[in-house]
């Protein structure tokens, strides 16, 4: 069912560095440099937690404690989440989360404005 993600996704997911691609192209695309560009190399995983039945807490973890980005999404495909940008620039993001058919995961759609606006 579309609810299976609540049992299969939560937990701490560690980055497999040998199987991971470089973040250089993504950093170039948004013109990220300096300390934050170096910090992307130190990302070591994700923490996923389900709260209140269908609220997903999504945290990007790093070996640098202050570089932990946390976002909250209601997994219904409708509710818009808002927060600070992951790259710590001015402005914010909006996003929605939808459970995949079959329950094998959650799709996030995230948008942010200028500077260097985009969508994933």
């Amino acid at each position: 069912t579309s609810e299976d993600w609540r049992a299969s996704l939560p937990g701490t997911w560690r980055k497999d560095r040998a199987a991971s691609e470089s973040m250089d192209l993504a950093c170039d695309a948004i013109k990220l440099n300096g300390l934050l560009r170096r910090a992307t190399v130190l990302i070591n995983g994700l923490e996923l937690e389900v709260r209140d039945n269908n609220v997903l807490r999504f945290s990007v973890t790093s070996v640098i404690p202050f570089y932990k980005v946390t976002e909250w999404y209601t997994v219904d495909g409708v509710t818009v989440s808002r927060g600070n940008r992951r790259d710590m620039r001015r402005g914010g993001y909006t996003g929605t989360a939808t459970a995949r058919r079959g329950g094998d995961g959650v799709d996030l759609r995230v948008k942010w404005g200028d500077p260097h606006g985009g969508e994933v």
Side-chain angles (χ1 to χ4, degrees):
T1 69
S2 63
E3 308 305 323
D4 295 343
W5 65 270
R6 292 184 302 192
S8 62
L9 284 183
T12 300
W13 297 79
R14 293 290 168 210
K15 182 175 184 176
D16 180 346
R17 294 196 185 282
S20 298
E21 295 178 7
S22 168
M23 295 287 291
D24 287 342
L25 289 176
C27 290
D28 290 345
I30 62 170
K31 298 185 181 0
L32 193 65
N33 57 36
L35 179 62
L36 289 178
R37 186 178 188 113
R38 286 186 218 120
T40 63
V41 175
L42 302 176
I43 291 172
N44 62 5
L46 295 172
E47 292 175 359
L48 301 174
E49 177 184 1
V50 177
R51 291 191 178 175
D52 300 327
N53 204 21
N54 69 335
V55 175
L56 178 65
R57 181 182 62 86
F58 170 96
S59 296
V60 177
T61 60
S62 171
V63 297
I64 300 174
F66 78 85
Y67 193 68
K68 180 176 181 178
V69 177
T70 299
E71 300 170 357
W72 298 85
Y73 296 92
T74 300
V75 184
D76 62 6
V78 177
T79 303
V80 176
S81 298
R82 301 178 193 290
N84 297 326
R85 289 175 57 141
R86 294 176 188 173
D87 62 8
M88 299 182 184
R89 290 185 171 124
R90 66 177 166 80
Y93 76 89
T94 59
T96 58
T98 306
R100 290 183 182 166
R101 285 209 160 104
D104 67 343
V106 172
D107 291 322
L108 299 179
R109 299 288 303 171
V110 182
K111 298 178 186 178
W112 60 98
D114 286 331
H116 311 294
E119 178 178 347
V120 291

